[in-house]
Amino acid sequence: MNYLNKLTIKDIDVENKRVFLRCDFNVPFDGQGNITDTRRIDESLKSIRYLLERNAKVILCSHLGRPKSGYEDKLSLKPVAKYLSKVLNKDIKLLKDVSSEDTKQAIETLKSGELCMLENIRFEDGERSNEPEFAKKLASLADVCINDAFGACHRAHASTAGMAKYLPSGYGFLIEKEISTMYKILSNPKRPFVSILGGAKISDKIGVISSLLDKVDILIIGGGMSYTFANALGYSVGTSLCESDKLDLAKDIMAKAKEKGVKLFLPLDVKVAREYDPNSEAKVVDFDKIPEGWMGLDIGPKTAKLFSEAISGAGTVVWNGPMGVSEWENFSSGTLSVAKAIAESGSISIIGGGDSAAAVYKLGFADKMTHISTGGGASLRFLEGKPLPALEAIKDKN
Ligand code: ADP
Ligand code: MG
């Protein structure tokens, strides 16, 4: 699996061509329809500008959220088109669908160096089901297809994987940066190689834990998933998140770590709350003594110190998943300590996962990290060494 050998935007003639550019504009919004983090859009600018400089006619495409079926005003790409139009200082016509005469007309009359944007592609029926007919229809809109939606590469949808076989296709600069950075760091990691895993569920991360066990020297586990390990060790976990069907898996991971000589760190203490509420009454208890009726929502101070010390000596760090409910101030200090320890360690660091990346930005450590992936699920798949269907669909360079 070497995606560095696939065709990229630089290998394909885009001059004066109609170029379908699949981006990942799946950005977060506040309650008033304002974009709260424009990073994914900003990271797409390099490919967009490259195409405009080469007089391409650019058709932008993205998904946003998970629409049920058809148009939903709150999942419209209108705010994205408006933001991009301002940044590029160019008009961007938002096309309401893929199939109408209006859309066909708008694309036919698009001039070199101009842009338009399709509405949220998940409003269309054939997108998620990757209908061949729909993929062909998308392909008929353009001469060339460039994928720069790293965050959607793990999904075989019509606009990511489906249409690539009907057009000359390659990936853009954002994807190139994502995969070349991660390949470079992971192929010959500076040691010790430390991985920190957290987040809600062990079941989301099992693949990546298993594959990292073959590569890392130290594995640190915190966040919601740590309580499944606690339970597997026979500790009481109160009302903490715990996947009781994954106890054997947790035991297996602990045994494998031992067998492979990987040092495994689990929490020593945790901050527990009465309820799953940002303002709940809370206290710190030992990891193996969570009282009945309390739930662990963050690591405790002893744990933060233990984890920070392990991180401080790291050569390479891969971090995925917050140490607690980091969205809530009262339960964010464990995640803050880890972010700070990585920032101060001088290690080469990869942050994968949407919530972890958001925490790093919010806590102000983004510029201290080597690479913060724009893809949650896709970066996990990549770290697992599993194929990404949208990249598989692109031809190799010869
Ligand atoms: P990422 O997006 O970085 O991969 P995840 O989506 O796996 O991370 O996990 C982040 C989510 O896990 C957050 O919504 C956070 O609130 C939740 N979480 C973390 N720790 C706990 C915990 N102890 N109890 C409940 N939820 C938790
Ligand atoms: Mg997440």
Side-chain angles (χ1 to χ4, degrees), residues 231-258:
N231 203 359
L233 287 164
Y235 308 158
S236 57
V237 296
T239 48
S240 308
L241 259 189
C242 179
E243 292 171 271
S244 45
D245 58 333
K246 295 287 180 296
L247 298 180
D248 285 340
L249 194 71
K251 285 182 194 156
D252 196 44
I253 291 168
M254 291 188 275
K256 281 220 179 86
K258 205 166 189 182

Tab-separated table of all heavy atoms in Angstrom, residues 231-258:
chain	number	residue	atom	x	y	z
A	231	ASN	N	-12.199	-2.429	34.212
A	231	ASN	CA	-13.146	-3.516	34.462
A	231	ASN	C	-12.503	-4.878	34.189
A	231	ASN	O	-12.669	-5.838	34.954
A	231	ASN	CB	-14.391	-3.298	33.600
A	231	ASN	CG	-15.608	-4.006	34.154
A	231	ASN	OD1	-15.536	-4.688	35.173
A	231	ASN	ND2	-16.734	-3.846	33.491
A	232	ALA	N	-11.712	-4.928	33.104
A	232	ALA	CA	-11.029	-6.184	32.753
A	232	ALA	C	-10.032	-6.579	33.846
A	232	ALA	O	-9.747	-7.764	34.035
A	232	ALA	CB	-10.326	-6.031	31.415
A	233	LEU	N	-9.517	-5.601	34.563
A	233	LEU	CA	-8.583	-5.890	35.651
A	233	LEU	C	-9.315	-6.224	36.958
A	233	LEU	O	-8.698	-6.450	37.989
A	233	LEU	CB	-7.662	-4.678	35.875
A	233	LEU	CG	-6.593	-4.445	34.794
A	233	LEU	CD1	-6.015	-3.041	34.889
A	233	LEU	CD2	-5.478	-5.491	34.895
A	234	GLY	N	-10.634	-6.187	36.890
A	234	GLY	CA	-11.435	-6.542	38.057
A	234	GLY	C	-11.763	-5.357	38.951
A	234	GLY	O	-12.279	-5.533	40.065
A	235	TYR	N	-11.481	-4.129	38.504
A	235	TYR	CA	-11.798	-2.949	39.315
A	235	TYR	C	-13.259	-2.557	39.112
A	235	TYR	O	-13.834	-2.797	38.054
A	235	TYR	CB	-10.936	-1.745	38.920
A	235	TYR	CG	-9.448	-1.970	38.891
A	235	TYR	CD1	-8.631	-1.127	38.135
A	235	TYR	CD2	-8.840	-3.000	39.608
A	235	TYR	CE1	-7.260	-1.299	38.087
A	235	TYR	CE2	-7.460	-3.180	39.558
A	235	TYR	CZ	-6.672	-2.332	38.790
A	235	TYR	OH	-5.324	-2.509	38.738
A	236	SER	N	-13.798	-1.891	40.131
A	236	SER	CA	-15.156	-1.376	39.959
A	236	SER	C	-15.072	-0.082	39.147
A	236	SER	O	-14.127	0.690	39.292
A	236	SER	CB	-15.791	-1.095	41.313
A	236	SER	OG	-14.985	-0.183	42.018
A	237	VAL	N	-16.032	0.152	38.269
A	237	VAL	CA	-15.969	1.341	37.414
A	237	VAL	C	-17.173	2.255	37.605
A	237	VAL	O	-17.315	3.257	36.898
A	237	VAL	CB	-15.814	0.972	35.912
A	237	VAL	CG1	-14.490	0.271	35.664
A	237	VAL	CG2	-16.974	0.128	35.417
A	238	GLY	N	-18.031	1.933	38.568
A	238	GLY	CA	-19.212	2.777	38.805
A	238	GLY	C	-20.054	2.874	37.555
A	238	GLY	O	-20.308	1.866	36.889
A	239	THR	N	-20.435	4.108	37.216
A	239	THR	CA	-21.256	4.302	36.008
A	239	THR	C	-20.424	4.814	34.832
A	239	THR	O	-20.959	5.371	33.876
A	239	THR	CB	-22.401	5.306	36.300
A	239	THR	OG1	-21.843	6.454	36.962
A	239	THR	CG2	-23.467	4.706	37.176
A	240	SER	N	-19.105	4.632	34.898
A	240	SER	CA	-18.234	5.070	33.797
A	240	SER	C	-18.584	4.338	32.512
A	240	SER	O	-19.126	3.234	32.546
A	240	SER	CB	-16.771	4.747	34.110
A	240	SER	OG	-16.405	5.233	35.368
A	241	LEU	N	-18.193	4.955	31.392
A	241	LEU	CA	-18.309	4.273	30.095
A	241	LEU	C	-17.564	2.951	30.188
A	241	LEU	O	-16.423	2.918	30.625
A	241	LEU	CB	-17.579	5.089	29.032
A	241	LEU	CG	-18.316	5.981	28.065
A	241	LEU	CD1	-17.345	6.476	26.993
A	241	LEU	CD2	-19.482	5.274	27.422
A	242	CYS	N	-18.208	1.870	29.817
A	242	CYS	CA	-17.506	0.596	29.870
A	242	CYS	C	-18.162	-0.341	28.876
A	242	CYS	O	-19.382	-0.486	28.865
A	242	CYS	CB	-17.584	0.019	31.286
A	242	CYS	SG	-16.759	-1.570	31.421
A	243	GLU	N	-17.362	-0.940	28.023
A	243	GLU	CA	-17.922	-1.867	27.042
A	243	GLU	C	-17.730	-3.292	27.571
A	243	GLU	O	-16.646	-3.864	27.425
A	243	GLU	CB	-17.221	-1.672	25.699
A	243	GLU	CG	-17.546	-0.333	25.059
A	243	GLU	CD	-16.680	-0.059	23.843
A	243	GLU	OE1	-15.590	0.511	24.008
A	243	GLU	OE2	-17.088	-0.423	22.724
A	244	SER	N	-18.786	-3.801	28.194
A	244	SER	CA	-18.609	-5.084	28.865
A	244	SER	C	-18.393	-6.247	27.893
A	244	SER	O	-17.879	-7.293	28.281
A	244	SER	CB	-19.793	-5.357	29.796
A	244	SER	OG	-20.985	-5.049	29.138
A	245	ASP	N	-18.723	-6.025	26.623
A	245	ASP	CA	-18.441	-7.086	25.638
A	245	ASP	C	-17.013	-6.988	25.096
A	245	ASP	O	-16.639	-7.754	24.204
A	245	ASP	CB	-19.459	-7.024	24.486
A	245	ASP	CG	-19.462	-5.674	23.790
A	245	ASP	OD1	-19.103	-4.657	24.437
A	245	ASP	OD2	-19.817	-5.616	22.591
A	246	LYS	N	-16.241	-6.043	25.612
A	246	LYS	CA	-14.867	-5.889	25.101
A	246	LYS	C	-13.813	-6.179	26.179
A	246	LYS	O	-12.656	-5.811	26.038
A	246	LYS	CB	-14.664	-4.458	24.568
A	246	LYS	CG	-15.506	-4.109	23.354
A	246	LYS	CD	-14.995	-4.792	22.100
A	246	LYS	CE	-15.776	-4.489	20.852
A	246	LYS	NZ	-17.178	-4.956	20.857
A	247	LEU	N	-14.238	-6.854	27.247
A	247	LEU	CA	-13.297	-7.120	28.343
A	247	LEU	C	-12.177	-8.062	27.888
A	247	LEU	O	-11.007	-7.856	28.230
A	247	LEU	CB	-14.030	-7.716	29.546
A	247	LEU	CG	-15.094	-6.794	30.168
A	247	LEU	CD1	-15.774	-7.480	31.352
A	247	LEU	CD2	-14.489	-5.468	30.610
A	248	ASP	N	-12.532	-9.055	27.094
A	248	ASP	CA	-11.511	-9.997	26.622
A	248	ASP	C	-10.510	-9.300	25.707
A	248	ASP	O	-9.312	-9.589	25.742
A	248	ASP	CB	-12.157	-11.173	25.871
A	248	ASP	CG	-12.816	-12.139	26.853
A	248	ASP	OD1	-12.439	-12.102	28.043
A	248	ASP	OD2	-13.713	-12.898	26.433
A	249	LEU	N	-11.058	-8.380	24.943
A	249	LEU	CA	-10.214	-7.604	24.049
A	249	LEU	C	-9.200	-6.780	24.856
A	249	LEU	O	-8.010	-6.729	24.527
A	249	LEU	CB	-11.123	-6.662	23.273
A	249	LEU	CG	-10.543	-5.998	22.062
A	249	LEU	CD1	-10.355	-7.011	20.964
A	249	LEU	CD2	-11.504	-4.916	21.575
A	250	ALA	N	-9.669	-6.147	25.909
A	250	ALA	CA	-8.783	-5.346	26.758
A	250	ALA	C	-7.710	-6.245	27.374
A	250	ALA	O	-6.524	-5.894	27.397
A	250	ALA	CB	-9.595	-4.641	27.842
A	251	LYS	N	-8.121	-7.425	27.824
A	251	LYS	CA	-7.145	-8.372	28.414
A	251	LYS	C	-6.114	-8.786	27.378
A	251	LYS	O	-4.920	-8.888	27.663
A	251	LYS	CB	-7.873	-9.627	28.925
A	251	LYS	CG	-8.621	-9.374	30.225
A	251	LYS	CD	-9.273	-10.663	30.718
A	251	LYS	CE	-10.287	-10.328	31.802
A	251	LYS	NZ	-11.338	-11.323	31.965
A	252	ASP	N	-6.617	-9.034	26.174
A	252	ASP	CA	-5.752	-9.439	25.076
A	252	ASP	C	-4.712	-8.347	24.760
A	252	ASP	O	-3.538	-8.635	24.538
A	252	ASP	CB	-6.673	-9.669	23.866
A	252	ASP	CG	-5.987	-10.443	22.785
A	252	ASP	OD1	-5.318	-11.433	23.137
A	252	ASP	OD2	-6.104	-10.061	21.598
A	253	ILE	N	-5.169	-7.095	24.752
A	253	ILE	CA	-4.250	-5.979	24.476
A	253	ILE	C	-3.175	-5.911	25.566
A	253	ILE	O	-1.986	-5.735	25.277
A	253	ILE	CB	-5.022	-4.639	24.388
A	253	ILE	CG1	-5.890	-4.628	23.121
A	253	ILE	CG2	-4.070	-3.440	24.404
A	253	ILE	CD1	-6.902	-3.501	23.071
A	254	MET	N	-3.583	-6.093	26.819
A	254	MET	CA	-2.617	-6.027	27.925
A	254	MET	C	-1.592	-7.169	27.803
A	254	MET	O	-0.398	-6.973	28.012
A	254	MET	CB	-3.344	-6.054	29.274
A	254	MET	CG	-4.137	-4.765	29.505
A	254	MET	SD	-4.855	-4.603	31.163
A	254	MET	CE	-6.386	-5.492	30.983
A	255	ALA	N	-2.093	-8.350	27.416
A	255	ALA	CA	-1.186	-9.500	27.276
A	255	ALA	C	-0.224	-9.285	26.112
A	255	ALA	O	0.979	-9.552	26.216
A	255	ALA	CB	-2.002	-10.779	27.059
A	256	LYS	N	-0.751	-8.783	25.006
A	256	LYS	CA	0.092	-8.539	23.819
A	256	LYS	C	1.165	-7.495	24.119
A	256	LYS	O	2.313	-7.636	23.686
A	256	LYS	CB	-0.760	-8.060	22.644
A	256	LYS	CG	-1.489	-9.183	21.943
A	256	LYS	CD	-1.466	-8.956	20.417
A	256	LYS	CE	-2.159	-10.079	19.702
A	256	LYS	NZ	-3.628	-9.850	19.602
A	257	ALA	N	0.783	-6.459	24.846
A	257	ALA	CA	1.748	-5.407	25.179
A	257	ALA	C	2.911	-6.030	25.946
A	257	ALA	O	4.081	-5.764	25.667
A	257	ALA	CB	1.073	-4.312	25.994
A	258	LYS	N	2.585	-6.892	26.895
A	258	LYS	CA	3.599	-7.553	27.710
A	258	LYS	C	4.523	-8.406	26.839
A	258	LYS	O	5.742	-8.329	26.920
A	258	LYS	CB	2.884	-8.435	28.746
A	258	LYS	CG	3.698	-8.685	29.976
A	258	LYS	CD	2.818	-9.252	31.060
A	258	LYS	CE	3.561	-9.299	32.370
A	258	LYS	NZ	2.706	-9.889	33.407
